[in-house]
Structures are given as C-alpha cells and as structure tokens.
C-alpha cells in the first residue's frame, strides 16, 4: 500500500494494489525491465513509476541495467506472500489456442511474402505482429466461421499484413483492405496483382475521416488493431462496427495492457456493451509484436528506469472477438487528431 500511495501521489491514478504485486512477482523471475512490463501487464510509465518507488524504498537495485530485488525486497515478497510470475501456456500454440502450423503451406507462403514487407514507422504507431500471430489470426477467424462466404474489411492494421494473409488464404466473398500508409497498400496491391488474388481490393484511407456510404453497413466482419487511446478506439472499433451489415456480424481487434491500463479496458468494454456488442473471445497475449526500429525515439525509452532496449518479445496484446446483437449502434463522426496515439498511459509511439 505504501508503494501504491507513493505512485498515486506522483499523479498516476489508474493503478491498484494488484499492479504492485504483479511487478514484485515479475521481479522474482526476471531482471529485464521490458519483461517486467510484459509480465506485470502494465503501461510502461506505470511499471516504471513502481520500479522507481521500489528503488527509493530500497526494495530493488539496478546494476548494469538489470533490476534486482534486494534482500529487503525478497523479505517483502515473503511477508506479503507474493508468488513468482508463472507461465503455463501451451508451448505448441503459444497460448493462442490456435496452432499456426495447422496449415503449414499457408504459413510458409505467408512467411515468404512477408519478408519483403515495409519497415514499421513511428508516424502511424506501427509495429508488426509475428508471422505466427498473423497466420493464427486467420485460422482463428476461419474457426469461428468468419471467413467462408463473408464480406470482410481489414482497417488500419495492415502493418501486420492480416488483410494480405486473408487474401492468400481465400474462401471469403469479398475483402477490402484500408490503411493510411500508402507503402503498405502498394505492397498489397503488387502482390494481389502478381498472385492473381480475386475479390480483394486495397485502398488508402485515414480512419480519422468518416466513412462514405460505400463502407457503411456493407460487411459481415471487420478486423483492426488500434492504438489504445479512446479517440483511436472510436476511430477504429466504433467505425468498424459501423461497417457491419447486420446482427450477428463480427469484429476482431487487439487491445494491449502495455499502452493502456486495466481501468481503460473497463471503459472500452463498457462502450462495446453500450454500442450493442457482446465480447465472445478475449485471448490474452495472442498477438506478439516484433520490436520496432524507432524505440529509442519513444516516450517508453525515455521513462524506462534502464537504458537497455528490449531484445526479446515483450509487447503483447489480447485478441478480442465481438459479435453485434440486434439494435447495435453505427457511429461515423469525424475523430479529432488530439490524443490519437499518445496519452498518459501510452508511450510506445
Ligand atoms: N508502437 C508500438 C507498436 C504498437 C502496435 N500497435 C499495437 C496496438 C494494439 N492494440
């Protein structure tokens, strides 16, 4: 409680005792700051503030950019019965429940194509998921009956090449891929042409602008992966819902706790229910992001208590699936530029 109060006194309100416990649990098994963020499911600035408070109180020390529990830190863990972070996820499917190797031909083709993908850029908060993640997303969609015969829109998440992967997989009735980044749309269009992929189109579109009639109520399924601010949630997810034709339509998106707190998740979830959606799936840590080249320029790098950049995968997100119930709401207002990518919880843009 002392650590919690200390962090709250520094202006961080969306935090509770469990967050401090999870940082301590992570510290019992790792000395790497980025793994601590991952294991404690916290926004980087919040994990950093907790570590700084633990440092001030002598519960941890930093040596060569590694964060170590002190004797006092170990004693506190024992006194408060803080267990170690544990991961019992299935090694085959990496906890997704969908092994990417269920369709090895598809996986190999996708990996061959993705190797020439454009590099992620900071301007659009890009950071691509691993090929195993993208392939598992497609298999998961097919497993839920959201590909065959469906009209699908993939919105503003093409750094992951999920649209291109669905196009390669096939079976859909119509596929539209939209993204703000011309490089990604050009990349997709080149492959669509070269491989002769049918009933698929890729177009440049900025999701902050309202949709025209050609998008509204025209699809059975939407897929996206927004930044975690509330403005971005409205631009990507509420607008995704507005593309859905009818009750029973489905939406897929990633939400992370590395750029957003569990308190923000509650706000997102309430909004989803208000709009008329039901959450059918939340698969924690389904999406594994490869480290992006602009890390040194980010707020995350600046607030971290160590200089060491992440080496391994640490940024993961949960994969959500929703279905729309009778009477769901379609909203399509313009979204302001303010706080689109970064706010007090987000730091990796
Ligand atoms: N800027 C780092 C990469 C972020 C990728 N987007 C993740 C969105 C999760 N909803």
């Amino acid at each position: 409680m002392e650590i919690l109060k200390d962090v709250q006194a520094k202006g961080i309100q969306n935090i509770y005792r469990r967050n401090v416990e999870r940082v301590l649990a992570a510290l019992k098994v790792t000395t790497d700051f980025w793994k601590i963020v991952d294991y404690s499911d916290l926004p980087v600035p919040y994990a950093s503030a907790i570590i700084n408070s633990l440092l001030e109180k002598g519960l941890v020390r930093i040596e060569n950019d590694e964060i170590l529990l002190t004797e006092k830190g170990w004693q506190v863990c024992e006194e408060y019965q803080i267990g170690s972070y544990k991961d019992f996820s299935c090694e085959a499917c990496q906890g997704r429940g969908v092994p990417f190797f269920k369709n090895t031909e598809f996986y190999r083709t996708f990996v061959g194509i993705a190797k020439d993908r454009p590099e992620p850029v900071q301007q659009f908060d890009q950071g691509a998921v691993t090929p195993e993640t993208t392939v598992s997303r497609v298999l998961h969609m097919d497993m839920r009956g959201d590909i065959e015969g469906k009209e699908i829109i993939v919105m503003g998440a093409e750094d992951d090449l999920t649209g291109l992967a669905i196009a390669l997989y096939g079976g859909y009735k119509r596929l539209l891929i939209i993204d703000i980044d011309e490089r990604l749309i050009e990349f997709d269009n080149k492959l669509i042409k070269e491989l002769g992929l049918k009933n698929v189109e890729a177009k440049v579109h900025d999701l902050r602008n309202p949709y025209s009639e050609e998008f509204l109520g025209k699809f059975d399924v939407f897929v996206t992966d927004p930044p975690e601010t509330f403005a971005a949630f409205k631009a990507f997810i509420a607008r995704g819902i507005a593309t859905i034709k009818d009750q029973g339509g489905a939406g897929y998106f990633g939400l992370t706790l590395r750029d957003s707190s569990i308190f923000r998740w509650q706000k997102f979830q309430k909004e989803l229910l208000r709009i008329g959606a039901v959450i059918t799936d939340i698969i924690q840590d389904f999406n594994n992001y490869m480290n992006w080249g602009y890390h040194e320029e980010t707020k995350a790098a600046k607030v971290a208590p160590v200089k060491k950049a992440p080496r391994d995968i640490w940024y993961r997100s949960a994969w959500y699936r929703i279905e729309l119930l009778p009477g769901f709401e379609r909203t399509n207002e313009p979204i302001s530029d303010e706080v689109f990518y970064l706010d007090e919880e987000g730091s990796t843009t």
Side-chain angles (χ1 to χ4, degrees):
M1 287 310 286
E2 221 182 290
I3 302 288
L4 178 66
K5 282 188 190 138
D6 187 41
V7 173
Q8 285 171 334
K10 288 175 183 151
I12 294 175
Q13 297 310 318
N14 280 350
I15 194 163
Y16 58 168
R17 183 183 158 141
R18 194 180 171 90
N19 298 133
V20 179
E21 291 172 358
R22 290 186 70 145
V23 168
L24 289 169
L27 278 161
K28 287 182 83 172
V29 297
T30 183
T31 57
D32 181 292
F33 174 67
W34 303 102
K35 287 283 177 198
I36 295 168
V37 174
D38 183 16
Y39 297 169
S40 61
D41 272 332
L42 273 171
V44 179
Y46 294 6
S48 190
I50 293 174
I51 296 287
N52 285 332
S53 179
L54 294 171
L55 260 173
E56 281 163 24
K57 302 209 176 328
L59 271 67
V60 295
R61 64 176 199 279
I62 298 184
E63 266 177 38
N64 301 324
D65 265 1
E66 304 294 324
I67 306 170
L68 301 128
L69 279 170
T70 59
E71 206 181 317
K72 188 173 165 195
W74 284 104
Q75 275 167 10
V76 166
C77 289
E78 202 178 317
E79 190 183 336
Y80 291 93
Q81 297 183 310
I82 310 286
S84 305
Y85 167 84
K86 297 177 187 76
D87 183 1
F88 298 136
S89 309
C90 163
E91 280 163 26
C93 72
Q94 300 170 323
R96 296 187 183 98
V98 188
F100 66 89
F101 48 82
K102 276 281 175 186
N103 186 335
T104 40
E105 200 187 322
F106 171 47
Y107 173 67
R108 283 201 194 110
T109 312
F110 180 73
V111 170
I113 281 172
K115 69 178 174 13
D116 299 321
R117 69 204 305 163
E119 286 297 315
V121 292
Q122 187 171 19
Q123 183 190 2
F124 303 130
D125 183 35
Q126 289 171 350
V129 295
T130 60
E132 293 73 24
T133 304
T134 301
V135 164
S136 301
R137 283 180 177 178
V138 180
L139 300 182
H140 178 239
M141 287 175 71
D142 194 21
M143 196 165 93
R144 291 281 184 271
D146 289 326
I147 291 195
E148 277 186 49
K150 300 295 182 194
E151 299 197 62
I152 305 170
I153 181 165
V154 179
M155 314 169 18
E158 204 42 12
D159 49 338
D160 299 331
L161 301 181
T162 305
L164 189 61
I166 298 171
L168 283 173
Y169 190 74
Y172 53 85
K173 183 172 171 192
R174 175 189 172 210
L175 173 62
L176 175 64
I177 304 164
I178 55 170
D179 199 280
I180 193 170
D181 188 345
E182 284 173 22
R183 302 170 313 146
L184 294 167
I185 297 300
E186 267 172 33
F187 182 77
D188 279 3
N189 277 325
K190 183 170 164 277
L191 283 152
I192 288 167
K193 200 166 162 201
E194 275 174 23
L195 301 172
L197 302 172
K198 299 280 179 260
N199 305 323
V200 47
E201 253 185 302
K203 287 183 181 178
V204 174
H205 181 90
D206 181 345
L207 279 165
R208 284 167 291 197
N209 302 327
Y211 275 160
S212 62
E213 287 303 316
E214 68 170 319
F215 296 151
L216 291 172
K218 297 291 192 304
F219 296 89
D220 302 296
V221 180
F222 77 88
V223 183
T224 190
D225 195 5
E228 318 296 320
T229 62
F230 203 67
F233 180 84
K234 278 172 75 181
F236 286 67
I237 298 172
R239 241 197 256 306
I241 291 172
T243 67
I244 297 298
K245 276 182 215 168
D246 208 353
Q247 54 185 270
Y252 291 83
F253 49 88
L255 286 183
T256 185
L257 290 164
R258 312 295 175 272
D259 272 322
S260 154
S261 68
I262 199 102
F263 293 78
R264 171 94 46 86
W265 270 30
Q266 186 190 42
K267 197 172 161 192
F268 289 155
Q269 291 178 3
K270 279 186 179 165
E271 182 66 3
L272 287 169
L273 302 185
R274 190 197 64 74
I275 291 174
V278 60
I279 302 167
T280 61
D281 302 39
I282 303 180
I283 310 175
Q284 279 289 357
D285 299 330
F286 186 105
N287 299 298
N288 287 5
Y289 297 78
M290 298 178 281
N291 285 311
W292 39 91
Y294 55 86
H295 170 78
E296 300 301 334
E297 316 306 322
T298 63
K299 177 178 161 191
K302 291 181 182 74
V303 299
V306 292
K307 292 269 169 286
K308 191 173 92 171
R311 290 187 193 129
D312 202 357
I313 283 174
W314 67 280
Y315 193 102
R316 300 189 285 172
S317 77
W319 196 227
Y320 274 63
R321 179 181 180 276
I322 56 168
E323 264 180 40
L324 283 315
L325 297 186
F328 72 90
E329 177 188 293
R330 289 198 191 93
T331 49
N332 187 34
E333 46 199 75
I335 309 287
S336 101
D337 239 9
E338 277 169 61
V339 205
F340 195 75
Y341 291 122
L342 273 180
D343 57 15
E344 70 285 359
E345 295 186 351
S347 68
T348 66
T349 301

